[in-house]
Amino acid sequence: MNIIVSQEIASVCPDFVGAAVDARVVNSPYSEPLWEEIHTLEERLRRELTTESLKTLPGIAATRRVYKACGKDPSRYRPASEQLIRRMLQGKELYQIDTLVDLVNLASIAFGYSIGGFDADKFIGDTLTLGIGREGEPYEGIGRGMLNIAGLPVYRDAQGGVGTPTSDNERTKMTLATTHLVVLINGYDGNRERVADNARYIQQLIQNYCQSDGGTITLYP
C-alpha cells in the first residue's frame, strides 16, 4: 500500500509524520489478557488525567490544532483518542468489540494518537492519500451513520474516504473475518520517534493476541 500525504495536509501540518503497520492476523471475539492490559492503563490514566488536562497531551493537542486549521471544531468532532480517554475518565467502560478493534483502541489510548485500523482487503486500489474532507463528500462513520467530514483530515482510496481521526468508515472496517490488517498512526505533533514507538507497540500487541509475526512498519511521508 502506497501512502501519500497531500499538499493540503502538509500546508496545515508541515511536521506531520505517520506510520503504517501491515500484518497478517487472526481476529477473535474477545481476549481476556488484552482486557487486563486495558484496565491497568485505565486505572493509571484516571490517576493522572482529567477531562480538561487530556486535551494538553501532545498527540491530542496537535490533532485539535490541525482540526481548527482545517476549519473543524475539535470539541464537536473530537479525535478518537480523545473520545476514548475521555470516556475512561468519565468512569464509563470502553466498548468491547473484538480483539483487533480493542487492541487498536488500547494503542490509541496509550500514546494519545488517533489511529485507524482497517481490513486492507477492502481497500480499492493500492494507494491511500491523506487529504482534507470536502463539503458534501459521502462518508459513513462506523456506528455513526453519515458523517460530515468537511474540514477533517481523511485518508482516501480509489473509491473515497476510508478513515478520519474522528471515525473510520464502515466500508473498510475490521471484522472477525479480517486477516489482513493495516493500522495507520497519525502523528500531527511531528514526533517521529514516538510515532515509531506506537507502531512497535501495536506490533507487539498483535503478536501477543492475534497469532501474528507483527508484520511490517512503514513511516511516512
Side-chain angles (χ1 to χ4, degrees), residues 101-146:
V101 174
D102 298 342
L103 73 80
V104 168
N105 286 344
L106 171 58
S108 180
I109 292 164
F111 282 78
Y113 292 124
S114 288
I115 299 175
F118 307 93
D119 186 325
D121 290 337
K122 297 177 181 177
F123 289 143
I124 306 300
D126 63 358
T127 300
L128 296 177
T129 302
L130 177 59
I132 298 174
R134 298 181 289 265
E135 288 293 342
E137 183 172 1
Y139 189 95
E140 185 177 1
I142 296 174
R144 299 171 68 107
M146 298 308 293

Side-chain angles (χ1 to χ4, degrees), residues 32-123:
E32 184 173 350
L34 172 61
W35 274 89
E36 289 174 359
E37 282 200 53
I38 292 172
H39 289 313
T40 297
L41 179 60
E42 180 180 50
E43 291 170 5
R44 179 170 67 79
L45 293 180
R46 284 177 175 168
R47 292 193 302 268
E48 296 176 354
L49 295 173
T50 67
T51 54
E52 285 303 311
S53 67
L54 77 89
K55 297 176 186 177
T56 67
L57 294 175
I60 292 174
T63 306
R64 290 175 65 90
R65 286 195 298 271
V66 168
Y67 272 34
K68 290 179 181 178
C70 292
K72 207 68 167 177
D73 180 356
S75 294
R76 184 177 178 190
Y77 294 85
R78 299 183 193 277
S81 53
E82 182 181 346
Q83 295 175 40
L84 292 167
I85 299 173
R86 184 181 179 86
R87 184 175 180 84
M88 278 186 165
L89 297 179
Q90 291 173 333
K92 300 174 183 177
E93 286 288 327
L94 291 185
Y95 297 110
Q96 190 275 312
I97 307 298
D98 58 48
T99 298
L100 283 178
V101 174
D102 298 342
L103 73 80
V104 168
N105 286 344
L106 171 58
S108 180
I109 292 164
F111 282 78
Y113 292 124
S114 288
I115 299 175
F118 307 93
D119 186 325
D121 290 337
K122 297 177 181 177
F123 289 143

Side-chain angles (χ1 to χ4, degrees), residues 14 21-22 25 48 58 70 92 97 140 147 153-155 182 209 217:
V21 180
D22 187 319
V25 294
E48 296 176 354
C70 292
K92 300 174 183 177
I97 307 298
E140 185 177 1
L147 187 66
V154 57
Y155 287 95
V182 165
Y209 303 118
I217 294 173

Side-chain angles (χ1 to χ4, degrees), residues 199-217:
R200 287 189 286 268
Y201 179 59
I202 290 169
Q203 277 192 315
Q204 189 61 60
L205 289 174
I206 62 177
Q207 285 173 351
N208 290 348
Y209 303 118
C210 299
Q211 301 178 42
S212 173
D213 66 0
T216 60
I217 294 173

